């Protein structure tokens, strides 16, 4: 067993194996509530014996600031810290490279990862890559916390809830929730909001809630989602069980990763090598482009290595299929392209999804010639790195921060050109976007108002709002790019009009499964759109030049129409050509069609028309709706 760490020290570094409940001599700011590490140091014959339970051992200095400790003893489940001399003092810290940790991530844990593998883990396979990506954003606790989900009491809010199959509404045996629900909905990817160990929730208190955008241990799963927070091996095993179950049920798993900032500057990285891993401005103050108090210095070589190693570790050890980079605009282009390359080498070109938010909260003190991965620099990013497209989002539903400013669906004028660009994922010749693979097409995410709450600001009548919601959904689901939506968008999810619920109670944030069946009409409309999307290679095509599939577009005030070359590259569709009309006016809009038989695929009433094969000679889009027609030859 070998432990290695990159530590800059002025003197000898020691590794310590603390006794159970041994307090830190220094209490880490912001973590005072759990200065005592409640650990179960399982002492067996072949490990540290009782008298050795607290041991301090000098580490070996190797080249380039690496310190190591090697032993023949089997230390799985034993907790450890480092002590490093710094400025005349001894600094105590957890291992920045830790693979396991105790409650609240304070103490690191030696872990034999093979022992954390669930049964059949070696046979776990990611579902086959498909041309369409329909990503569903979920938070572990929100998913199963509400009683209506019908999950077992002990697994509610936990990783384990994802291993429960055939759950139903209050256990009624009829209305699917959980995995079956997701299958019926038809999404292809589940994106998990932060699941690495984060700092804002006391893991020993089940009542606490946070989205988790505040990393502590980058390479360890969050403990509050484990059924046992005190045994560091449990969170690892249960995380793997979750991934295994999602894979088995046909879903690829994307992790939301926050390498741009940490919970606090009292992080193990900053203690190990002060001010190396974080940006500072020329005047010595801390760079704060994340609005979270610190920015990780991704452009520095060891920091870049650290991030790349971390991403590869999750892909390898936990079988993660994709990564969504929070505030990617704070990371640098070289790093992102390197991550892309390293994943491609191991798993095949584009096999693992990589995308992120191409913005930052504020200016960041990025160093030297490093280029931040902002929207304006998309041309420098690999074709297989995607960006959330705020232009499409705001063109469809309206301003993301200004409640009263509407979008195309709810009455804004002059957005027709933007909508046409959205359809082509902003990737026509002469634009920076190389291909639809670089675009995440969406209208809702965990940030800002839910789609329903945003629409509520401009449309007071509920029936009208449902109609407009359907229209918004049908619009982005007939645009090119990778599709993405916040869980519950399909059943009018509300957070009572609150924009930012990162630390609001779970009662507000949880998925309300009863609501899913109160808004069956809307939810069914989403199901039909998703099922149809999978038959539309012309819109799912993510290659360069895919924009040319959109042709003969036209626009009048409040109306956008276009045809789609729907012939397949990967698979064939029944319909070789599509005609799509977005009508946001209060009048019916007609369009003469070229000769041949046209069938209604989607109209204002139903997104399952494509099952009926009803023929039409003229396209008639009802007021405030989307019409999709298909032609077989
Ligand atoms: Ca934690």
């Amino acid at each position: 067993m070998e432990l290695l760490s990159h530590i800059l020290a002025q003197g000898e570094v020691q590794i310590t194996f603390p006794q159970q409940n041994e307090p830190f001599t220094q209490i880490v700011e912001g973590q005072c509530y759990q200065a005592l590490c409640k650990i179960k140091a399982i002492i067996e014959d072949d490990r540290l014996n009782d008298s050795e339970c607290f041991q301090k051992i000098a580490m070996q200095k190797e080249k380039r600031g690496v310190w190591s400790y090697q032993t023949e003893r089997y230390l799985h489940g034993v907790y450890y810290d480092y002590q490093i001399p710094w400025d005349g003092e001894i600094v105590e810290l957890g291992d920045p490279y830790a693979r396991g940790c105790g409650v609240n991530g304070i103490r690191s844990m030696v872990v034999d990862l093979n022992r954390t593998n669930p049964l059949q883990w070696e046979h776990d396979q990611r579902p086959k890559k498909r041309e369409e990506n329909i990503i569903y954003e979920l938070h572990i606790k929100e998913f199963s916390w509400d009683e209506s989900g019908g999950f077992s009491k002990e697994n509610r809010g936990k990783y384990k809830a994802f291993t429960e199959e055939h759950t139903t509404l209050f256990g009624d045996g009829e209305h699917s929730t959980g995995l079956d629900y997701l299958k019926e909905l038809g999404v292809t990817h589940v994106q998990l909001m932060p699941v690495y160990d984060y700092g804002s929730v006391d893991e020993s208190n089940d009542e606490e809630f946070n989205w988790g955008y505040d990393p502590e241990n980058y390479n360890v799963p969050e403990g509050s989602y484990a059924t046992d927070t005190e045994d560091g091996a449990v969170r690892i095993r249960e995380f793997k069980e979750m991934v295994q179950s999602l894979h088995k049920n046909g879903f690829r798993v994307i992790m939301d990763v926050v390498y741009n900032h940490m919970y606090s500057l009292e992080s193990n990285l900053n203690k190990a090598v002060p001010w190396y891993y974080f940006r500072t401005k020329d005047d010595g103050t801390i760079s704060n482009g994340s609005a979270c108090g610190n920015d990780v210095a991704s452009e520095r070589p060891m920091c870049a290595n650290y991030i790349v190693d971390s991403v590869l570790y999750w892909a390898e050890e936990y079988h993660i299929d994709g990564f969504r980079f929070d505030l990617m605009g704070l990371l640098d282009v070289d790093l992102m392209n390197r991550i892309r390359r390293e994943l491609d080498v191991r798993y095949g070109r584009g096999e693992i999804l990589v995308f992120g938010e191409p913005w930052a909260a504020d200016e960041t003190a990025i160093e030297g010639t490093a280029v931040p991965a902002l929207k304006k620099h998309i041309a420098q990013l690999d074709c297989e790195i995607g960006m959330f497209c705020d232009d499409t989002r705001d063109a469809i539903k309206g301003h993301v921060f200004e409640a009263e400013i509407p979008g195309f669906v709810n009455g804004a004028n002059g957005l027709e050109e933007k909508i046409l660009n959205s359809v082509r994922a902003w990737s026509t010749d002469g634009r920076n976007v190389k291909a639809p693979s670089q675009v995440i097409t969406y209208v809702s995410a965990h940030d800002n108002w839910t789609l329903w709450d945003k629409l509520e600001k401009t449309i007071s009548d509920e029936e009208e709002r449902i109609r407009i919601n359907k229209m918004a959904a049908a619009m982005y689901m007939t645009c090119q790019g990778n599709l993405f939506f916040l869980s519950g968008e399909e059943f009018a999810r509300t957070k009572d009009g609150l924009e930012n619920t990162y630390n609001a109670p779970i009662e507000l944030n949880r998925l309300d499964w009863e609501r899913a069946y109160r808004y069956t009409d809307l939810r069914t409309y989403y199901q039909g759109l998703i099922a149809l999307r999978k038959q539309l290679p012309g819109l799912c095509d993510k290659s360069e030049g895919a924009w040319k599939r959109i042709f003969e577009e036209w626009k009048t005030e409040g109306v956008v129409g276009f045809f789609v070359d729907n012939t397949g590259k990967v698979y064939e569709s029944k319909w070789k050509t599509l005609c799509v009309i977005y009508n946001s006016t209060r009048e019916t809009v007609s369009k003469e069609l070229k000769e041949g038989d046209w069938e209604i695929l989607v109209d204002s009433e139903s997104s399952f028309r494509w099952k009926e094969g009803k023929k039409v000679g003229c396209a008639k889009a009802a007021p405030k709706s989307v019409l999709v027609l298909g032609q077989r030859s």
Side-chain angles (χ1 to χ4, degrees):
M1 192 152 285
E2 184 178 33
L3 297 165
L4 283 172
S5 203
H6 168 235
I7 290 172
L8 199 65
Q10 301 163 323
E12 190 170 76
V13 176
Q14 312 211 45
I15 184 166
T16 66
F17 295 100
Q19 214 159 11
Q20 291 193 64
N21 302 331
E22 184 82 17
F24 274 107
T25 46
Q26 294 168 314
I27 292 183
V28 181
E29 196 186 335
Q31 298 176 339
C32 308
Y33 56 84
Q34 276 295 325
L36 284 180
C37 191
K38 288 191 268 168
I39 54 166
K40 290 180 189 168
I42 311 155
I43 308 299
E44 291 172 8
D45 291 340
D46 57 346
R47 301 186 220 168
L48 299 174
N49 62 40
D50 258 336
S51 64
E52 290 175 314
C53 200
F54 183 79
Q55 271 202 342
K56 196 182 281 192
I57 298 162
M59 295 182 83
Q60 194 71 36
K61 186 172 187 182
E62 300 186 12
K63 287 176 190 160
R64 299 180 178 187
V66 171
W67 292 79
S68 73
Y69 166 64
Q70 288 186 50
T71 176
E72 293 300 312
R73 286 185 298 196
Y74 185 70
L75 296 182
H76 174 77
V78 173
Y79 293 83
Y80 67 99
D81 304 320
Y82 295 135
Q83 292 193 347
I84 63 171
W86 191 258
D87 275 351
E89 287 182 22
I90 297 295
V91 177
E92 287 183 297
L93 65 149
D95 184 352
Y97 289 79
R99 303 305 202 212
C101 66
V103 68
N104 286 324
I106 297 169
R107 288 245 149 79
S108 305
M109 188 187 92
V110 183
V111 52
D112 176 353
L113 288 162
N114 287 327
R115 267 180 71 158
T116 63
N117 291 346
L119 276 177
Q120 302 290 318
W121 182 241
E122 65 279 17
H123 300 302
D124 175 61
Q125 279 189 332
R126 50 182 109 251
K128 204 169 147 281
K129 189 185 174 196
R130 309 165 66 136
E131 202 176 29
E132 70 278 357
N133 298 319
I134 304 164
I135 303 164
Y136 194 70
E137 186 183 37
L138 271 174
H139 182 283
I140 301 283
K141 191 162 184 169
E142 291 173 4
F143 177 66
S144 60
W145 187 83
D146 199 78
E147 230 175 294
S148 58
F151 297 92
S152 63
K153 196 167 183 300
E154 62 274 20
N155 290 342
R156 281 171 50 203
K158 307 294 182 189
Y159 298 123
K160 288 284 270 187
F162 287 87
T163 65
E164 288 195 27
E165 294 182 327
H166 313 309
T167 51
T168 51
L169 192 66
F170 292 109
D172 69 0
E174 255 182 69
H175 304 89
S176 300
T177 62
L179 293 171
D180 282 353
Y181 174 91
L182 296 180
K183 279 196 244 184
E184 285 166 22
L185 185 59
V187 295
T188 60
H189 290 63
V190 164
Q191 178 175 310
L192 302 170
M193 284 165 71
V195 280
Y196 52 72
D197 175 44
Y198 61 80
S200 52
V201 158
D202 177 357
E203 295 177 357
S204 62
N205 181 352
D206 224 16
E207 296 302 306
E208 294 194 9
F209 176 84
N210 203 287
W211 284 348
Y213 291 84
D214 44 76
E216 277 199 317
N217 286 285
Y218 275 120
N219 302 311
V220 183
E222 162 60 13
S224 61
Y225 305 141
T227 56
D228 181 348
T229 58
E230 297 187 10
D231 176 350
V234 173
R235 61 176 74 190
I236 301 174
R237 185 180 314 111
E238 292 183 347
F239 190 116
K240 289 176 174 176
E241 287 173 356
M242 167 184 69
V243 173
Q244 185 180 41
S245 175
L246 283 164
H247 281 171
K248 191 176 128 212
N249 282 281
F251 305 104
R252 285 196 163 206
V253 183
I254 297 169
M255 233 178 118
D256 191 336
V257 286
V258 186
Y259 292 110
N260 68 82
H261 73 272
M262 294 191 76
Y263 180 52
S264 89
L265 283 168
E266 294 289 330
S267 70
N268 292 328
L269 281 169
N270 205 29
K271 286 181 177 177
V273 192
W275 303 112
Y276 180 81
Y277 291 95
F278 295 90
R279 292 181 186 138
T280 47
K281 298 185 208 163
D282 289 342
D283 64 4
T285 58
I286 299 152
S287 178
N288 190 19
S290 62
C292 294
N294 61 78
D295 299 342
V296 169
S298 68
E299 69 277 19
R300 295 190 167 176
M302 283 305 290
C303 189
N305 284 351
Y306 182 89
I307 295 171
V308 171
D309 287 349
S310 178
V311 169
L312 295 177
Y313 174 68
W314 285 104
E316 175 69 25
E317 184 63 33
Y318 289 91
H319 302 181
I320 294 294
D321 311 300
F323 297 90
R324 174 265 188 203
F325 290 80
D326 185 68
L327 298 185
M328 186 170 72
L330 287 175
L331 305 175
D332 62 290
V333 162
D334 284 352
L335 171 70
M336 293 310 302
N337 286 336
R338 182 174 158 202
I339 288 170
R340 178 72 274 167
R341 276 197 312 276
E342 298 277 1
L343 289 169
D344 287 349
V345 165
R346 285 162 181 79
Y347 303 100
R349 176 66 174 153
E351 184 69 24
I352 306 283
L353 276 182
V354 172
F355 59 98
E357 293 180 304
W359 48 73
D362 207 342
E363 287 276 305
T364 188
I366 197 164
E367 287 178 348
T369 55
V371 177
L374 292 163
K375 183 164 74 171
K376 62 182 175 185
H377 297 134
I378 192 166
Q380 296 177 55
L381 282 172
D382 188 288
C383 195
E384 295 286 339
I385 297 176
M387 292 189 166
F388 282 92
C389 188
D390 51 348
D391 292 308
T392 295
R393 177 195 70 195
D394 294 0
I396 293 176
K397 74 165 182 179
H399 201 286
V400 72
F401 299 122
E402 303 291 333
E404 314 303 328
I405 299 181
F408 183 85
V409 294
N410 45 352
N413 293 322
L415 291 172
E416 294 80 14
E417 193 58 39
K418 278 193 172 177
I419 295 296
L420 274 168
N421 285 323
S422 303
V423 170
R424 293 186 168 113
W426 300 84
S427 62
T428 46
D429 274 350
R431 288 194 178 273
N432 286 333
V433 181
K434 290 187 269 285
S437 54
Q438 287 197 300
V439 169
I440 305 294
T441 299
Y442 77 118
V443 296
S444 77
H446 66 272
D447 277 318
N448 315 117
W449 293 295
T450 66
L451 176 62
W452 186 252
D453 287 349
K454 166 68 186 173
L455 293 178
E456 200 267 335
K457 309 277 180 193
T458 48
I459 307 160
S460 55
D461 179 66
E462 177 159 317
E463 215 169 295
E464 171 83 351
R465 211 180 309 143
I466 289 174
R467 188 179 181 95
I468 299 299
N469 190 325
K470 286 180 181 174
M471 187 184 171
M475 281 181 68
Y476 79 82
M477 291 206 194
T478 47
C479 287
Q480 294 182 326
N482 300 282
L483 302 189
F484 172 100
F485 61 107
L486 173 67
S487 48
E489 184 194 291
E490 74 282 11
F491 56 76
R493 184 170 180 183
T494 177
K495 295 183 191 171
D496 293 347
L498 293 178
E499 280 184 271
N500 187 356
T501 61
Y502 76 100
N503 63 353
I506 180 65
E507 289 80 1
L508 179 73
N509 278 295
R510 92 299 183 225
L511 280 191
D512 176 358
W513 294 98
E514 264 191 298
R515 194 173 172 90
Y517 289 94
R518 201 177 313 143
Y519 287 88
T520 291
D521 173 46
L522 181 60
R523 181 173 47 76
T524 307
Y525 200 79
Y526 272 79
Q527 284 178 353
L529 290 173
I530 291 169
L532 177 64
R533 173 81 179 187
K534 293 174 181 173
Q535 305 171 66
L536 304 182
L539 296 173
C540 294
D541 185 353
K542 297 192 179 48
S543 62
E544 283 184 49
W547 63 272
K548 292 176 190 157
R549 288 170 170 275
I550 312 298
F551 63 100
E552 289 182 23
E553 69 267 29
W554 73 95
K555 56 185 164 68
T556 55
E557 197 174 306
V559 180
V560 167
F562 56 92
F563 291 89
V564 183
D565 166 7
N566 197 42
T567 50
K569 276 187 190 165
V570 180
Y571 61 93
E572 281 303 326
S573 168
K574 268 186 263 184
W575 306 287
K576 302 296 176 241
T577 312
L578 310 173
C579 171
V580 181
I581 301 176
Y582 304 153
N583 177 14
S584 73
T585 72
R586 301 204 171 275
E587 312 294 328
T588 296
V589 167
S590 300
K591 172 83 179 170
E592 287 301 320
L593 295 168
K594 287 177 247 180
E595 67 280 6
D597 286 341
W598 290 85
E599 293 166 37
I600 304 179
L601 308 185
V602 174
D603 65 14
S604 63
E605 301 295 319
S606 170
S607 56
F608 278 108
R609 291 275 184 246
W610 49 274
K611 284 190 165 178
E612 300 166 13
K614 189 182 165 200
K615 304 265 193 305
V616 288
C618 172
K620 278 192 171 38
K624 299 277 178 192
S625 78
V626 170
L627 179 73
V628 185
L629 304 178
Q631 192 181 44
R632 287 186 186 242
S633 55

